């Protein structure tokens, strides 16, 4: 089992940027597939971006060109750089990890507690 803890959320104006971090701990975490998900009030959890152990990435169409997922395996940390933020990006953001490549589907086994991102127009 992997333990995950997100940080870096906050309030920002439309067009601004934020970088989320997810500290991971557990045996073999550097080999896990990891992803960022978000959930707005009244909506289902949706995949934002995912990354494999060797850096292969996939993004939701809604964030392509604006968000960048990356990982530092030496630090066991996952990142999400978010730019050109829009009000519709407002949500609780979660990181997730699993040995199975679920891409952007929320079937990951391990989840963090989430960090809130609020974008005001």
């Amino acid at each position: 089992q992997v333990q995950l803890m997100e940080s870096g959320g906050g309030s920002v104006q439309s067009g601004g940027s934020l970088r989320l971090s997810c500290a991971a701990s557990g045996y073999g975490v550097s080999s896990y597939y990891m992803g960022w998900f978000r959930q707005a009030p009244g909506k289902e959890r949706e995949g934002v971006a995912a990354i494999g152990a060797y850096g292969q990435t996939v993004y939701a169409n809604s964030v392509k060109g604006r968000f960048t997922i990356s990982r530092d395996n030496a630090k066991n940390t996952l990142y999400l750089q978010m730019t050109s933020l829009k009000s519709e990006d407002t949500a609780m953001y979660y990181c997730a990890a699993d040995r199975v490549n679920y891409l952007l589907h929320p079937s990951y086994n391990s989840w963090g507690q989430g960090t809130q991102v609020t974008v005001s127009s």
Side-chain angles (χ1 to χ4, degrees), residues 12 17-18 20 29 32 38 45 48 51-52 55 75 86 96 100 104 109 116 120:
V12 64
S17 300
L18 280 174
L20 306 183
V29 66
Y32 277 55
R38 65 186 181 187
R45 189 168 296 189
V48 174
I51 188 168
K75 297 181 178 179
K86 307 174 181 180
V100 177
L104 299 179
N109 187 49
Q116 178 68 37
S120 57

Short mmCIF file of all heavy atoms in Angstrom, two decimals, residues 12 17-18 20 29 32 38 45 48 51-52 55 75 86 96 100 104 109 116 120:
data_model
loop_
_atom_site.label_atom_id
_atom_site.label_comp_id
_atom_site.label_asym_id
_atom_site.label_seq_id
_atom_site.Cartn_x
_atom_site.Cartn_y
_atom_site.Cartn_z
N VAL A 12 -6.50 31.30 -6.66
CA VAL A 12 -5.77 32.03 -7.68
C VAL A 12 -6.77 32.66 -8.63
O VAL A 12 -7.89 32.14 -8.79
CB VAL A 12 -4.78 31.10 -8.42
CG1 VAL A 12 -5.53 30.02 -9.17
CG2 VAL A 12 -3.85 31.87 -9.32
N SER A 17 -1.36 30.57 -12.16
CA SER A 17 -0.71 29.27 -12.15
C SER A 17 -0.59 28.74 -10.72
O SER A 17 -0.54 29.51 -9.76
CB SER A 17 0.69 29.36 -12.75
OG SER A 17 0.65 29.80 -14.09
N LEU A 18 -0.55 27.43 -10.60
CA LEU A 18 -0.29 26.76 -9.34
C LEU A 18 0.48 25.48 -9.64
O LEU A 18 0.34 24.90 -10.73
CB LEU A 18 -1.58 26.38 -8.62
CG LEU A 18 -2.34 27.43 -7.82
CD1 LEU A 18 -3.66 26.84 -7.32
CD2 LEU A 18 -1.51 27.95 -6.67
N LEU A 20 0.92 21.75 -7.91
CA LEU A 20 0.56 20.79 -6.88
C LEU A 20 1.67 19.75 -6.72
O LEU A 20 2.33 19.39 -7.70
CB LEU A 20 -0.74 20.08 -7.24
CG LEU A 20 -1.95 20.96 -7.54
CD1 LEU A 20 -3.18 20.08 -7.81
CD2 LEU A 20 -2.21 21.94 -6.43
N VAL A 29 7.39 2.55 -4.71
CA VAL A 29 6.49 3.55 -5.25
C VAL A 29 7.00 4.13 -6.57
O VAL A 29 6.21 4.58 -7.41
CB VAL A 29 6.23 4.67 -4.21
CG1 VAL A 29 7.50 5.45 -3.93
CG2 VAL A 29 5.11 5.57 -4.65
N TYR A 32 5.31 2.70 -9.61
CA TYR A 32 3.87 2.79 -9.73
C TYR A 32 3.45 3.75 -10.85
O TYR A 32 4.14 4.73 -11.14
CB TYR A 32 3.26 3.29 -8.41
CG TYR A 32 3.05 2.22 -7.37
CD1 TYR A 32 4.09 1.42 -6.95
CD2 TYR A 32 1.80 2.04 -6.80
CE1 TYR A 32 3.90 0.45 -5.98
CE2 TYR A 32 1.59 1.08 -5.84
CZ TYR A 32 2.65 0.29 -5.43
OH TYR A 32 2.45 -0.67 -4.46
N ARG A 38 -9.57 15.18 -10.18
CA ARG A 38 -10.23 16.31 -9.52
C ARG A 38 -11.72 16.03 -9.42
O ARG A 38 -12.28 15.28 -10.21
CB ARG A 38 -9.98 17.62 -10.27
CG ARG A 38 -10.57 17.69 -11.67
CD ARG A 38 -10.12 18.97 -12.35
NE ARG A 38 -10.68 19.11 -13.69
CZ ARG A 38 -10.34 20.06 -14.55
NH1 ARG A 38 -9.42 20.96 -14.20
NH2 ARG A 38 -10.90 20.12 -15.73
N ARG A 45 -15.72 12.34 -10.01
CA ARG A 45 -14.27 12.50 -10.05
C ARG A 45 -13.79 12.23 -11.47
O ARG A 45 -14.19 11.25 -12.11
CB ARG A 45 -13.62 11.52 -9.07
CG ARG A 45 -12.14 11.75 -8.87
CD ARG A 45 -11.61 10.95 -7.70
NE ARG A 45 -12.23 11.40 -6.45
CZ ARG A 45 -11.82 10.98 -5.24
NH1 ARG A 45 -10.81 10.13 -5.14
NH2 ARG A 45 -12.42 11.42 -4.15
N VAL A 48 -7.33 13.89 -14.67
CA VAL A 48 -6.72 15.09 -15.23
C VAL A 48 -5.47 14.73 -16.02
O VAL A 48 -5.31 15.14 -17.17
CB VAL A 48 -6.37 16.08 -14.11
CG1 VAL A 48 -5.60 17.27 -14.67
CG2 VAL A 48 -7.63 16.54 -13.39
N ILE A 51 0.81 9.46 -15.30
CA ILE A 51 2.20 9.28 -15.72
C ILE A 51 2.68 7.90 -15.32
O ILE A 51 2.35 7.39 -14.24
CB ILE A 51 3.09 10.39 -15.12
CG1 ILE A 51 4.51 10.34 -15.68
CG2 ILE A 51 3.11 10.31 -13.59
CD1 ILE A 51 5.33 11.59 -15.34
N GLY A 52 3.46 7.28 -16.20
CA GLY A 52 4.02 5.99 -15.89
C GLY A 52 5.37 6.13 -15.21
O GLY A 52 5.89 7.22 -15.02
N GLY A 55 7.90 7.95 -17.29
CA GLY A 55 7.58 9.30 -17.72
C GLY A 55 6.56 9.43 -18.82
O GLY A 55 6.28 10.55 -19.27
N LYS A 75 12.82 11.67 -5.25
CA LYS A 75 12.13 12.28 -4.11
C LYS A 75 10.77 11.63 -3.85
O LYS A 75 10.05 12.05 -2.95
CB LYS A 75 11.94 13.77 -4.35
CG LYS A 75 13.23 14.56 -4.46
CD LYS A 75 12.94 16.04 -4.67
CE LYS A 75 14.24 16.85 -4.74
NZ LYS A 75 13.96 18.30 -4.96
N LYS A 86 -8.55 28.31 -15.27
CA LYS A 86 -9.89 28.81 -15.55
C LYS A 86 -10.79 28.50 -14.35
O LYS A 86 -10.49 27.61 -13.55
CB LYS A 86 -10.45 28.12 -16.79
CG LYS A 86 -9.56 28.18 -18.02
CD LYS A 86 -10.14 27.35 -19.15
CE LYS A 86 -9.25 27.37 -20.38
NZ LYS A 86 -9.80 26.55 -21.49
N ALA A 96 -3.22 9.84 -7.07
CA ALA A 96 -3.53 8.43 -6.96
C ALA A 96 -2.37 7.61 -7.49
O ALA A 96 -1.58 8.08 -8.31
CB ALA A 96 -4.80 8.11 -7.73
N VAL A 100 -1.16 -0.98 -11.52
CA VAL A 100 -1.86 -1.17 -12.79
C VAL A 100 -2.02 0.19 -13.47
O VAL A 100 -2.30 1.19 -12.81
CB VAL A 100 -3.23 -1.83 -12.57
CG1 VAL A 100 -3.98 -1.96 -13.89
CG2 VAL A 100 -3.07 -3.19 -11.90
N LEU A 104 -6.59 7.41 -17.02
CA LEU A 104 -7.39 8.45 -16.38
C LEU A 104 -8.66 7.90 -15.73
O LEU A 104 -9.55 8.66 -15.37
CB LEU A 104 -7.74 9.54 -17.40
CG LEU A 104 -6.55 10.26 -18.02
CD1 LEU A 104 -7.04 11.31 -19.03
CD2 LEU A 104 -5.69 10.92 -16.96
N ASN A 109 -5.76 2.23 -6.66
CA ASN A 109 -5.93 1.64 -5.33
C ASN A 109 -5.61 2.61 -4.20
O ASN A 109 -6.22 2.56 -3.14
CB ASN A 109 -5.04 0.41 -5.21
CG ASN A 109 -5.29 -0.35 -3.93
OD1 ASN A 109 -6.43 -0.64 -3.57
ND2 ASN A 109 -4.22 -0.67 -3.22
N GLN A 116 -7.40 21.60 -2.22
CA GLN A 116 -8.41 22.41 -2.90
C GLN A 116 -7.75 23.45 -3.81
O GLN A 116 -6.83 24.16 -3.39
CB GLN A 116 -9.30 23.12 -1.88
CG GLN A 116 -10.35 24.03 -2.48
CD GLN A 116 -11.42 23.28 -3.24
OE1 GLN A 116 -11.83 22.18 -2.84
NE2 GLN A 116 -11.90 23.86 -4.34
N SER A 120 -10.77 32.06 -9.33
CA SER A 120 -11.79 33.11 -9.39
C SER A 120 -11.62 33.92 -10.67
O SER A 120 -10.51 34.22 -11.10
CB SER A 120 -11.71 34.02 -8.17
OG SER A 120 -10.41 34.58 -8.08
#
